[in-house]
Amino acid sequence: MLHRTSPKSFIASAALAGLIVIAAAGRAEAQFSGTGGTLGTGGTLGTGGSGTSVLQASDFFVGVEETPPVALSIFDQSRFFNKARCDCSEPVYILVSLLASGVAKRSQITSQAGTVSVVLGTGCSSLISQQIGNCLPVPGGTEEALTFLNNGQFLIPTDARTLSTFLNISTVFDAGVSVGACQATFGQFTQTVNILFDFDGDGFAELPLTLSLLIDLNPPPPPMPVTIQGGNEALALNWPSLDTSIVTDLQGYQILCSRADQYQVFKELPNDAGGTSSGPYGAAFQTCPAARTGTGVEGLDPTFVCSGLLSAQATSARIEVLQNDITYAAAVVAVDNSGNASEPVVGFGTPVKTLSFYDVYRDQTPQGGATGGFCALATARPGAKATAAGLALFGLGALGLALARRRKGPR
């Protein structure tokens, strides 16, 4: 006996069959993870005269690595390039890699006589073999096209100083401009990294990719004035908050201090990056040891940190576990999102013992006569009159108690 199939069941079966066909037709591809920044789309890469577009910007991954093979996330990358890393010329790497779609197209590229080059500067979208205008080739940033295709990637070793070179399109780059001076005429700026592909070797880039890097070489201004008041084994600091509408990347504040203007107060251990590796507090900022102009608090030494990172709205803090009657140097520094710290303006304060009511009572003129503690208890031997009065009061109390019991009578 045949059963009639409802239209709804037929439609559901057809849809399921369609999904199975689509899934079977798809090809599995390797998954590439990691983000490296803002990748520009500069056009398409030709095969060397045929005019056929082969590689596109979407076939590449471009990023920055501090420790290969781990690429910095977009968030970390936007806070990486600060003055400390520039001053110390911290090594970094630019990675240009083919994604799965690009690897699949390698056999279609017939011309492999050119190069892949990395050039810094806005508007530098053609292949450049030497310093021209405001374009700066990255040293060691050129590789044969054939080598790139065979390896599937190009890892360019460079440093934060080179990538932080300020290049202005309105100025001409020449021998009089210092490469990586670790300073800019204004706050943050965007560095454009151009990856130029010239597979046919004609001197022009068929596909320029761009990577945008945020460079921040200017620390925020210091909060002023800072008042320091001594407390019992502590110092209380107060300061006016910075205007966050002007200092838009303010992360917060941190306190540095030293004992007798030269000794660490808390045990903070240094590392090569200019931060701290262990201790009760960790520096939220970075400095380059080779670029410090002073020592201790004045030198913005992270091992002299005496607080955690305070919020951008904080206007006061208290440093505790100090020693009374010892002078301490202290400074409040503003810290931005890139880890730049303001110049420390050093002040001094001395923790002092807090006077209790009894201390004030004893120090007044004339001096108070009580000895403190259970002050109602006499410490001297009572006289005869005092003893007789005491016994009389005791007797009266006992007589009153007996009369009270008698009135109640037996129960």
Side-chain angles (χ1 to χ4, degrees):
M1 181 177 181
L2 297 175
H3 295 279
R4 295 181 63 186
T5 302
S6 67
K8 291 184 178 179
S9 299
F10 178 78
I11 293 173
S13 301
L16 179 60
L19 289 174
I20 293 173
V21 171
I22 293 173
R27 181 171 57 88
E29 295 184 353
Q31 298 297 313
F32 287 78
S33 60
T35 56
T38 305
L39 181 61
T41 56
T44 57
L45 180 61
T47 58
S50 65
T52 304
S53 298
V54 179
L55 291 175
Q56 298 178 342
S58 58
D59 296 322
F60 294 88
F61 169 83
V62 181
V64 176
E65 296 183 352
E66 182 180 14
T67 306
V70 180
L72 295 175
S73 68
I74 294 178
F75 178 85
D76 292 333
Q77 182 182 287
S78 65
R79 288 161 167 75
F80 182 81
F81 292 95
N82 58 21
K83 183 168 174 54
R85 288 192 171 97
C86 182
D87 286 335
C88 276
S89 299
E90 184 169 329
V92 292
Y93 301 83
I94 297 174
L95 174 64
V96 184
S97 177
L98 286 172
L99 296 176
S101 59
V103 172
K105 297 177 181 178
R106 286 187 297 185
S107 60
Q108 303 176 39
I109 302 175
T110 58
S111 179
Q112 305 172 357
T115 60
V116 181
S117 300
V118 180
V119 179
L120 303 180
T122 304
C124 305
S125 58
S126 61
L127 192 60
I128 299 174
S129 59
Q130 58 183 347
Q131 293 177 183
I132 299 176
N134 65 302
C135 301
L136 177 64
V138 174
T142 301
E143 184 174 76
E144 298 295 328
L146 180 60
T147 303
F148 173 77
L149 290 174
N150 287 336
N151 295 333
Q153 67 175 22
F154 183 20
L155 187 64
I156 304 100
T158 181
D159 57 71
R161 179 180 289 268
T162 298
L163 295 181
S164 298
T165 302
F166 179 68
L167 301 168
N168 193 322
I169 195 170
S170 63
T171 60
V172 176
F173 188 92
D174 55 31
V177 178
S178 176
V179 176
C182 296
Q183 62 184 9
T185 55
F186 52 89
Q188 302 173 348
F189 68 93
T190 300
Q191 182 69 277
T192 302
V193 181
N194 304 276
I195 298 92
L196 308 176
F197 294 87
D198 175 27
F199 274 33
D200 56 15
D202 63 355
F204 297 95
E206 291 86 17
L207 173 62
L209 305 180
T210 59
L211 177 66
S212 297
L213 303 176
L214 181 65
I215 312 296
D216 187 357
L217 305 178
N218 291 341
M224 293 180 64
V226 177
T227 60
I228 304 175
Q229 184 176 1
N232 187 31
E233 299 182 349
L235 290 176
L237 293 86
N238 292 270
W239 62 91
S241 60
L242 296 178
D243 189 346
T244 54
S245 66
I246 299 176
V247 187
T248 57
D249 63 340
L250 179 64
Q251 183 180 183
Y253 302 93
Q254 198 155 32
I255 298 174
L256 289 81
C257 68
S258 65
R259 186 176 183 273
D261 200 21
Q262 58 180 321
Y263 302 109
Q264 281 184 249
V265 178
F266 303 102
K267 188 177 182 180
E268 298 285 342
L269 302 178
N271 61 25
D272 295 336
T276 54
S277 57
S278 64
Y281 305 110
F285 58 88
Q286 288 185 315
T287 60
C288 177
R292 292 178 192 153
T293 57
T295 58
V297 177
E298 293 182 353
L300 202 59
D301 188 336
T303 61
F304 285 78
V305 166
C306 291
S307 77
L309 178 65
L310 308 173
S311 73
Q313 292 74 40
T315 57
S316 65
R318 184 179 176 88
I319 311 173
E320 299 182 334
V321 200
L322 305 181
Q323 184 177 351
N324 286 337
D325 303 321
I326 297 293
T327 300
Y328 289 81
V332 180
V333 296
V335 183
D336 65 20
N337 288 329
S338 299
N340 297 310
S342 63
E343 180 183 357
V345 180
V346 181
F348 299 90
T350 304
V352 293
K353 180 181 179 181
T354 301
L355 297 179
S356 65
F357 173 80
Y358 178 70
D359 293 325
V360 176
Y361 170 73
R362 291 289 291 173
D363 290 341
Q364 69 180 346
T365 302
Q367 188 181 61
T371 57
F374 295 98
C375 57
L377 297 179
T379 57
R381 177 178 294 181
K385 292 182 179 179
T387 302
L391 290 174
L393 289 173
F394 178 77
L396 289 174
L399 178 61
L401 180 62
L403 291 174
R405 288 181 175 178
R406 207 171 157 186
R407 288 175 184 174
K408 291 181 180 180
R411 296 184 177 181

